[in-house]
């Protein structure tokens, strides 16, 4: 059994003649520890696919399972628990809560998790240290740079040690140098065993992934896997580069 | 990091909005507190005055009455078989179970006397008891001695007498010791002497026409004291002077009802302020709520955060509103009572009730915004995923 199973997934918006299928029958599987980049032109349906995989956007049809759990058969509160225990999110716009310090932002997923306060505090500090932000713990998001915000967002995504990290254009708001640092972090996380599924326009970012899915018009147009470990950075396969890659980080 | 900490930090960030929310509730709670405290203080003040001053029980001789009518017209009643009250029997009042509640017993002997060719009403009273029973009395001069008389304002005018003058009452020479200021009551037309003097003049030794009793009745109904006095004075008719009390209390009750109505309206406005502010707050925080939901917060967690914020502000509003209400009550009661001091009690249970009222109101008004926040679709809220 694969870690992630996506089968005949359809996500349709609107009804009748106005209905548009943002995701139109996509199927694939992901094994534990894989690093998968989802690529495609704007409007191809990759962000919709990521929201469905984030357990926040129920598909019109099809099945989505993680570790054998049929995610959309869960009750709403179980869905929230699933997101907390199985998923880490890294958003393009950081989405840090501006009135909480960096440390408090990292601790957010732990606020509704069981455990002693000291233990949670230690885990959050450990996650911050892992992304190199130990010295910025008491700063507010408005007091740190974009790259530091993205790293704080990564620390928040991994503080619960989720088995699956979902990233949406993680370098979209960063310059190329900072973007590379962030991608190094994500790759390091993947090499420690976390499965990563990342939506990106950037060929350079996609180059960090060992596998690339090309989505076009809501369908899976290509699914390519490297033979060995990913080299960083590397050229995209011809099909993916032609399909919408070719941009640089940031 | 806890849900409560998130709630408090958000309130601290939005100080202006939290302040506006607080103000809306404080005004409501302060109004309700002020109204309740004011009505309570004024009720206590009236009760206190009624208890401390003035008669509230009347003892009259028992008499049979024969109703007369002729040709369908009522001609009133003719009293007969009147059993007068003996002065010596009045000591029995000191033996009733609620004797400690008796502030004063004022026997009065009444009779019509000829004075300077006129027929006036003479009242023999116990002037020591009259000081408690008739606190509205103000006199120019002194209370009379054994051969003195106190004149009502109208009687003094009719007889054209002043303090120090002498007059002959039923053949007895009496000196005017003082004149009562106008009271607007029948007292203005009377001549007052000591009880014993009146009994001698009227030839009613040891007899009294009526007895006024001032009962301190905070812990007991006045009717109970009436029953006890009637038991020890079986030949007398004992009744409570309830009209005045009921009239005053009815006026106060009407004031109370009006005030409670106004309080309810102000509280409703306060609740609307909370509702509108919290709805705006939730709309502004859509993205933030989306982040919480994406990170694994349940709907119930979001609901709790919003309600905790409402509860924190409401509890604060309850404390401040109670303090403001009590302060306003002190000020208002002083104005309404014409400057004389009226005690406004600060009671922990009322403070607790004010805080509870504020919290319940704040939570009820925040429930819809909280449910709206909890039901936000995280995907819609974030928009980026």
């Amino acid at each position: 059994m694969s870690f992630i199973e996506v089968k005949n997934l359809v996500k349709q918006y609107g009804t009748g003649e106005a209905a548009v299928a943002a995701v139109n029958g996509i199927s694939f599987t992901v094994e534990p520890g894989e690093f998968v980049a989802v690529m495609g032109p704007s409007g191809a349906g990759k962000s919709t696919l990521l929201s469905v995989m984030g357990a926040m956007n129920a598909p019109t049809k099809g099945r989505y399972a993680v570790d054998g759990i049929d995610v959309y058969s869960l009750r709403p509160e179980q869905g929230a628990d699933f997101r907390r225990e199985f998923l880490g999110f890294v958003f393009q716009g950081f989405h840090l809560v501006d009135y909480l310090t960096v440390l408090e932002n990292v601790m957010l997923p732990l606020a509704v998790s069981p455990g002693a306060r000291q233990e949670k505090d230690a885990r959050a500090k450990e996650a911050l240290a892992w992304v190199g932000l130990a010295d910025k713990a008491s700063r507010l998001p408005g007091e740190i740079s974009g790259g530091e915000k993205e790293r704080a967002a990564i620390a928040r995504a991994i503080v619960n040690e989720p088995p699956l990290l979902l990233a949406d254009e993680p370098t979209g708001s960063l310059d190329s140098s900072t973007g590379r640092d962030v991608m190094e972090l994500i790759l390091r996380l993947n090499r420690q065993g976390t499965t990563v599924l990342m939506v990106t326009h950037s060929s350079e970012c996609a180059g960090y992934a060992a596998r690339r899915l090309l989505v076009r018009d809501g369908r899976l147009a290509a699914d390519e896997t490297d033979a060995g470990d990913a080299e960083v950075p590397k050229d995209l396969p011809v099909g993916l580069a032609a399909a919408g890659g070719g941009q640089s980080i940031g | 990091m806890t849900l409560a900490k998130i709630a408090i930090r958000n309130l601290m960030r939005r100080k202006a909005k939290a302040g506006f929310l607080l103000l809306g509730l404080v005004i409501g709670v302060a109004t309700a507190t002020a109204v309740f405290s004011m009505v309570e203080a004024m009720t206590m003040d009236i009760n206190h005055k009624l208890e401390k001053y003035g008669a509230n029980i009347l003892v009259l001789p028992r008499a049979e009455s024969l109703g007369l009518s002729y040709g369908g017209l009522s001609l009133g009643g003719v009293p007969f078989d009147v059993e007068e009250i003996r002065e010596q029997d009045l000591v029995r009042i000191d033996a009733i179970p609620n004797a400690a509640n008796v502030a004063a017993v004022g026997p009065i002997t009444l009779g019509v006397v000829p004075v300077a060719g006129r027929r006036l009403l003479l009242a023999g009273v116990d002037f020591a008891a009259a000081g408690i029973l008739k606190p509205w009395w103000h006199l120019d001069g002194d209370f009379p001695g054994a051969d003195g008389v106190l004149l009502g304002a109208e009687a003094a005018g009719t007889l054209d007498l002043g303090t120090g003058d002498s007059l002959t009452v039923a053949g007895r020479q009496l000196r005017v010791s003082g004149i009562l200021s106008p009271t607007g009551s029948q007292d203005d037309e009377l001549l007052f002497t000591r009880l014993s003097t009146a009994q001698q003049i009227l030839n009613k030794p040891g007899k009294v026409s009526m007895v006024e009793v001032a009962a301190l009745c905070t812990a007991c109904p006045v009717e109970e004291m009436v029953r006890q006095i009637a038991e020890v004075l079986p030949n007398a008719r004992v009744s409570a002077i309830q009209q005045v009390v009921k009239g005053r209390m009815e006026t106060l009750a009407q004031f109370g009802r009006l005030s409670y109505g106004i309080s309810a309206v102000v509280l409703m406005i306060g609740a609307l302020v909370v509702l509108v502010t919290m709805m705006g707050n939730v709309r502004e925080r859509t993205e933030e709520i989306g982040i919480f939901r994406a990170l694994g917060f349940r709907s119930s967690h979001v609901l709790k955060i919003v309600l905790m914020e409402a509860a924190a502000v409401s509890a604060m509003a309850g404390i401040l509103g109670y303090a403001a209400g009590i302060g306003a009550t002190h000020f208002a009661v002083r104005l309404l009572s014409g400057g004389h001091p009226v005690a406004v009690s600060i009671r922990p249970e009322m403070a607790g009730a004010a805080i509870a009222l504020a919290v319940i109101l704040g939570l009820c008004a925040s429930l819809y915004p909280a449910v709206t926040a909890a039901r936000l679709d995280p995907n819609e809220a974030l928009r980026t995923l």
Side-chain angles (χ1 to χ4, degrees), chain A residues 5-21:
Chain A
E5 285 180 29
V6 174
K7 194 172 181 184
N8 294 325
L9 210 61
V10 175
K11 179 63 191 179
Q12 191 173 301
Y13 293 106
T15 53
E17 289 183 3
V20 176

Side-chain angles (χ1 to χ4, degrees), chain B residues 186-348:
Chain B
Q186 198 181 4
D187 291 354
D188 293 347
E189 300 160 11
L190 300 190
L191 313 180
F192 296 94
T193 64
R194 284 189 176 185
L195 188 64
S196 55
T197 307
Q199 285 170 342
Q200 289 163 15
I201 292 171
L202 297 169
N203 195 25
K204 291 181 179 178
K207 297 287 173 61
V208 293
S209 310
M210 58 185 284
V211 184
E212 290 178 333
V213 179
L216 301 167
C217 232
T218 307
C220 66
V222 74
E223 288 79 8
E224 174 60 19
M225 292 192 68
V226 166
R227 191 189 62 75
Q228 292 173 8
I229 294 172
E231 271 181 17
V232 297
L233 299 175
N235 295 327
R237 187 158 51 90
V238 186
S239 55
I241 306 172
Q242 294 191 355
Q243 290 88 337
V244 176
V245 181
K246 283 184 176 171
R248 288 188 193 183
M249 295 313 283
E250 183 57 34
T251 305
L252 200 62
Q254 282 175 352
F255 172 71
R257 281 193 288 272
L258 175 70
S259 304
Y260 297 150
I262 292 169
S263 298
V265 171
V266 175
L267 283 170
M268 285 284 289
I269 293 169
L272 278 173
V273 168
V274 174
L275 175 68
V276 171
T277 311
M278 291 301 278
M279 273 309 290
N281 197 357
V282 166
R283 280 197 198 98
E284 279 179 19
R285 296 168 70 190
T286 301
E287 183 189 313
E288 181 186 314
I289 292 164
I291 297 170
F292 291 155
R293 299 284 281 127
L295 295 178
F297 282 45
R298 292 178 168 196
S299 298
S300 56
H301 294 137
V302 175
L303 190 83
K304 276 182 193 168
I305 291 172
V306 178
L307 291 181
M308 277 177 185
E309 288 174 16
V313 173
S314 303
M316 184 70 77
I319 295 166
L320 295 177
Y322 178 73
I326 288 292
T329 305
H330 274 285
F331 181 71
V333 161
R334 197 174 302 160
L335 280 181
L336 292 173
S337 65
H340 83 267
V342 173
V344 178
S345 56
I346 297 174
R347 293 189 289 127

Side-chain angles (χ1 to χ4, degrees), chain A residues 90-91 93-96 102 133 140-156 174 178 182:
Chain A
V90 178
F91 310 103
F94 319 126
H95 285 314
L96 298 175
V102 169
L133 280 182
L140 288 171
E143 299 167 347
I144 58 176
S145 69
E148 288 168 334
K149 284 178 189 171
E150 194 66 42
R151 281 193 278 158
I154 292 171
R156 183 178 65 186
L174 306 175
T178 314
V182 166

Side-chain angles (χ1 to χ4, degrees), chain A residues 10 35 58 65 81 93 112 120 169 178 182 189 197 219 232-233 241:
Chain A
V10 175
F35 188 162
D81 294 345
V112 289
K120 290 178 181 180
E169 302 280 6
T178 314
V182 166
L189 194 66
L197 198 133
R219 296 176 189 277
V232 183

Side-chain angles (χ1 to χ4, degrees), chain A residues 47 50-51 56-57 77 80-81 83-84 89 91 95 97-101 104 107-108 111-112 156 168, chain B residues 1 5-6 9-10 13 285 287-288 291 293-301 377-379 384-385:
Chain A
S47 288
L50 197 68
S51 70
M56 293 192 292
N57 193 8
E77 301 299 58
D81 294 345
R83 284 196 291 275
R84 189 170 64 249
F89 280 101
F91 310 103
H95 285 314
V97 179
D98 57 3
Y99 58 87
L100 299 178
T101 65
E104 287 166 344
M107 287 180 79
L108 271 178
V112 289
R156 183 178 65 186
D168 183 28
Chain B
M1 178 55 52
K5 192 168 183 180
I6 293 171
R9 294 294 292 274
N10 179 56
R13 174 184 60 147
R285 296 168 70 190
E287 183 189 313
E288 181 186 314
I291 297 170
R293 299 284 281 127
L295 295 178
F297 282 45
R298 292 178 168 196
S299 298
S300 56
H301 294 137
D377 179 350
N379 190 47
T384 54
L385 278 177

